[in-house]
Amino acid sequence: MADRFAPAPVPRRRPGPAALARALAVVALPWTWFALRDLLGIVGDVLAIALPVLVGLVAAVVLVVGRRRGVLPAVSALVAGAVAVIAPWTPADVGAVAAGSGVSVVSANVTGMASTVPALLAASPDVLVVVENNGYLDEDLAAGYPHHEFTWGSATVGVYSRHPLRLLDEPGRDLPGMRVAVDAPTPFVLYALHVPRPWWTGRGAYQATLGEHHRLVAALAARVAAEPGPVVVAGDLNSTDRGRGYRLLVDGTGLTDAMRDAWAAPTSVTTWRPLLLRIDHLLVGPGWCGDTAHRLPLPGSDHDAIAATVGPCAAPPPSG
């Protein structure tokens, strides 16, 4: 008898076109990052640095506030964030280095730690770029190489080589590092760099405002693009590979990221590890390729070193 007086079930209302459009817009919103990131300028630079943590926080807030309705937007944000972070790590091999013309290069930010020297000497590359160097480390590293250049100053960088070197330019206002001619089997110009880290102020440690950092990278990109011959850019650029500065160097100058011969990965490995920052780079100019890309742990440093063999690309096989 009780069933006769039970209230009739209320039919569930289907969402109308406007509600569906709003839901789709919310789900699609995280993907607008790829269209807007460079247009956002300095704001985009900050968001790019903090992206992994920021995406996780946004997804968590959306789930708490929206509950079941927040599941799709949260998943969309996480997937878009993962694509933005991981896409610049994926292999993008442009070809093999021509036989007999390769030069092995290691770039390392050693944080001034003597504990890194044995690992670097054991790697024994043809050309070694050392950032956050000092006079004591320079003596130890120079003992293992017949040719070397070292510069004091805010950008304390050393270059050690089995091939003859010639210093072309010392650090200056628009050059946070050295420009060096390397007399390898195929001679090239090497930019050995340590760009100041972007920060809210230019005072204090080795850092620059976000605007000044971008100006430096833009000046470097223009300078590298004007090189008439083969060029290699190596060092700690303090530019995340998902940021505007990295795209300016790679897309704007035609440089190839030699580390993407294989899967790349973050190189900032201590304090800033949660941000998944790949800020140490090895880039080569048009017509050059990279092989055997890999990272090297540096005991005591807050960076991993990066290594690859670079040189003129092998000629593609004839068609047919």
Side-chain angles (χ1 to χ4, degrees):
M1 294 292 291
D3 291 341
R4 293 175 55 189
F5 300 101
V10 179
R12 179 178 295 180
R13 292 183 58 187
R14 293 185 177 181
L20 285 174
R22 286 195 298 270
L24 288 173
V26 171
V27 171
L29 183 62
W31 298 89
T32 61
W33 164 253
F34 298 98
L36 299 176
R37 56 189 179 182
D38 288 345
L39 299 177
L40 292 172
I42 290 176
V43 173
D45 296 340
V46 175
L47 295 176
I49 293 169
L51 195 61
V53 173
L54 183 63
V55 166
L57 290 174
V58 168
V61 170
V62 169
L63 281 174
V64 170
V65 174
R67 299 186 180 181
R68 285 190 302 174
R69 291 182 180 180
V71 171
L72 282 179
V75 170
S76 179
L78 290 173
V79 173
V83 171
V85 170
I86 296 174
W89 301 350
T90 57
D93 187 14
V94 296
V97 175
S101 62
V103 176
S104 58
V105 178
V106 167
S107 177
N109 184 327
V110 298
T111 326
M113 301 298 294
S115 54
T116 62
V117 172
L120 294 175
L121 293 178
S124 190
D126 296 323
V127 176
L128 172 63
V129 175
V130 177
V131 171
E132 291 195 24
N133 206 338
N134 60 48
Y136 299 105
L137 301 185
D138 175 64
E139 290 182 7
D140 293 339
L141 293 167
Y145 284 88
H147 309 283
H148 46 89
E149 294 287 348
F150 175 79
T151 60
W152 289 101
S154 54
T156 308
V157 179
V159 177
Y160 310 90
S161 175
R162 306 201 185 285
H163 305 292
L165 300 175
R166 179 164 50 93
L167 181 62
L168 301 175
D169 290 295
E170 295 183 339
R173 180 174 181 269
D174 292 334
L175 182 63
M178 284 189 282
R179 178 172 171 262
V180 182
V182 183
D183 189 15
T186 300
F188 62 91
V189 169
L190 169 67
Y191 284 77
L193 302 173
H194 187 200
V195 180
R197 68 171 179 170
W199 204 246
W200 66 276
T201 176
R203 298 179 180 178
Y206 187 61
Q207 58 196 31
T209 63
L210 289 156
E212 175 63 10
H213 180 272
H214 183 70
R215 188 198 69 78
L216 273 172
V217 174
L220 283 169
R223 189 166 186 164
V224 170
E227 289 290 346
V231 61
V232 173
V233 177
D236 177 1
L237 307 189
N238 271 309
S239 299
T240 176
D241 57 9
R242 54 184 177 263
R244 183 171 54 143
Y246 172 84
R247 287 189 293 278
L248 183 62
L249 282 166
V250 175
D251 300 333
T253 64
L255 294 175
T256 292
D257 188 340
M259 296 308 298
R260 292 185 68 185
D261 172 65
W263 275 90
T267 58
S268 182
V269 294
T270 55
T271 305
W272 305 106
R273 185 187 292 271
L275 298 181
L276 303 177
L277 296 171
R278 184 166 75 100
I279 56 177
D280 301 88
H281 300 291
L282 178 53
L283 312 174
V284 295
W288 274 42
C289 292
D291 287 335
T292 62
H294 60 285
R295 291 180 300 155
L296 297 170
L298 294 175
S301 175
D302 56 3
H303 290 246
D304 278 347
I306 55 175
T309 296
V310 302
C313 299
S319 59

